[in-house]
Amino acid sequence: QVQLVESGGGLVQAGGSLRLSCAASGRTFSSDGMGWFRQAAGKEREFVAAISTNVIDTFYSDSVKGRFTISRDKARNTVYLEMNSLKPEDTAVYYCAADVDGNWRLPEYWRHWGQGTQVTVSS
């Protein structure tokens, strides 16, 4: 059974940093893209960042570009999201996703999801 388990969320003041981790089990995703989405209360799930199988190609939403960094450790079957200069508008549940077939920025094209981790940024 495939599982993606996120960790690292929490409460942080504006301007602070957090590092999210997503550990995959049940199969290896070394040949698949991995990514992060987020969903704020009352809003739709939105793309945050993704990383390709070559580890070099990364993609970011305009709202986080320059502040967030996605990385992955294939040996550990894990993807990370380093979040710096956090803003109150970054508050959301952050979801890890794996194995995409289609538009990386749309959640419906991702096959596997984690349960989410809450990130709250206070002003």
Side-chain angles (χ1 to χ4, degrees):
Q1 181 181 355
V2 174
Q3 275 194 314
L4 300 176
V5 179
E6 301 98 334
S7 60
L11 174 64
V12 63
Q13 287 189 332
S17 299
L18 282 174
R19 188 191 195 211
L20 304 183
S21 300
C22 171
S25 62
R27 58 160 280 195
T28 177
F29 289 102
S30 59
S31 299
D32 301 294
M34 298 190 77
W36 290 93
F37 285 73
R38 67 187 182 187
Q39 188 166 15
K43 295 188 177 182
E44 294 186 350
R45 192 168 297 190
E46 65 171 1
F47 171 78
V48 175
I51 187 166
S52 68
T53 57
N54 66 18
V55 184
I56 298 173
D57 293 332
T58 55
F59 311 90
Y60 297 95
S61 68
D62 289 342
S63 61
V64 308
K65 196 175 297 182
R67 299 187 298 121
F68 291 10
T69 302
I70 188 171
S71 61
R72 67 189 294 177
D73 184 334
K74 284 189 172 184
R76 295 179 183 271
N77 217 17
T78 299
V79 64
Y80 306 95
L81 186 68
E82 185 76 34
M83 305 186 295
N84 298 314
S85 303
L86 282 162
K87 305 174 182 179
E89 51 263 44
D90 294 318
T91 295
V93 177
Y94 283 70
Y95 296 91
C96 171
D99 192 3
V100 60
D101 183 13
N103 189 326
W104 290 43
R105 296 177 183 271
L106 298 179
E108 57 261 40
Y109 290 103
W110 293 79
R111 291 195 176 95
H112 302 287
W113 292 89
Q115 82 290 347
T117 185
Q118 177 70 46
V119 171
T120 303
V121 184
S122 63
S123 57

